[in-house]
Amino acid sequence: MPQEFAEYPTTRIILDCSEIFIQRPSAMLAQSETWSDYKHHDTWKVLVGITPNGQVSDLSYLWGGRISDKQITRESGVLDLLDAGDNVMVDRGFDISNIVPDGVTVNMPPFLAGRDQVTAAETEETMSIASVRIHIERAIGRMKTYHILDGTLPNTLSPYATQIVTVCGLLTNFLPPLLKPANP
């Protein structure tokens, strides 16, 4: 376990979703399924899971950008791989605490939820979680350095899109580790 995760020793996986811009589909149903209000563009969405050392360990199939992070997590099957005592780290607003298996905990930065401000302790907790959760953003950034993913994916590649994203994700595992393990 990398030293950065000393406060979170039971972290099994860090999850986040990423969106890949795609060419606007011609079919109206496909347009409605791929439109992302968040990105204001048609997208494919993928759930990415990394280990605490930054290795990509799980990639979902691609879904239309309209799907929620919670739904893609539920449908992906990644939760079936967790055991009691495991911890999942996610970003604020990625609340999956009510769909994880019994005995699995979720580390998510606190958010306002109808309050005017967060407490000092919540601010510290947010900073602590964010300092280690940032590594999934770095891993996703590595995936997108493969130029096939840095623009708009044409419709002609749609049948192969899941395989393309999977290969890009797995190729990042051949790069130097994002984090080094703690010295024994």
Side-chain angles (χ1 to χ4, degrees), residues 14-122:
I14 307 163
L15 296 176
D16 202 1
C17 285
S18 182
E19 295 187 68
I20 312 301
F21 282 19
I22 61 170
Q23 186 179 5
R24 183 177 201 87
S26 56
M28 291 300 286
L29 179 60
Q31 285 178 22
S32 71
E33 290 174 349
T34 60
W35 179 256
S36 168
D37 284 333
Y38 180 68
K39 295 287 186 178
H40 302 289
H41 201 281
D42 290 285
T43 65
W44 289 122
K45 187 183 268 193
V46 62
L47 176 71
V48 180
I50 66 167
T51 62
N53 72 349
Q55 296 288 294
V56 174
S57 61
D58 191 81
L59 292 159
S60 71
Y61 289 106
L62 294 181
W63 294 78
R66 181 179 182 180
I67 194 168
S68 72
D69 295 347
K70 188 176 198 172
Q71 184 66 24
I72 198 172
T73 303
R74 181 184 292 121
E75 298 289 334
S76 73
V78 69
L79 299 178
D80 298 334
L81 303 174
L82 301 173
D83 297 320
D86 287 343
N87 177 274
V88 179
M89 192 167 281
V90 295
D91 196 11
R92 177 180 293 137
F94 198 110
D95 189 7
I96 58 169
S97 56
N98 62 346
I99 64 169
V100 296
D102 290 338
V104 173
T105 57
V106 177
N107 264 338
M108 180 178 67
F111 53 97
L112 291 176
R115 299 176 293 155
D116 290 335
Q117 62 185 23
V118 294
T119 66
E122 288 173 330

Side-chain angles (χ1 to χ4, degrees), residues 94-182:
F94 198 110
D95 189 7
I96 58 169
S97 56
N98 62 346
I99 64 169
V100 296
D102 290 338
V104 173
T105 57
V106 177
N107 264 338
M108 180 178 67
F111 53 97
L112 291 176
R115 299 176 293 155
D116 290 335
Q117 62 185 23
V118 294
T119 66
E122 288 173 330
T123 301
E124 282 186 37
E125 182 183 3
T126 297
M127 291 172 50
S128 176
I129 293 172
S131 71
V132 290
R133 206 203 66 76
I134 191 69
H135 300 298
I136 191 154
E137 303 295 342
R138 294 175 60 208
I140 290 170
R142 282 178 156 191
M143 287 174 56
K144 291 187 177 181
T145 61
Y146 297 99
H147 294 296
I148 196 165
L149 297 181
D150 67 4
T152 300
L153 203 64
N155 288 336
T156 55
L157 292 180
S158 285
Y160 314 105
T162 293
Q163 291 91 335
I164 290 168
V165 171
T166 300
V167 167
C168 291
L170 296 178
L171 281 173
T172 65
N173 289 340
F174 292 100
L175 297 172
L178 285 173
L179 297 164
K180 303 221 184 297

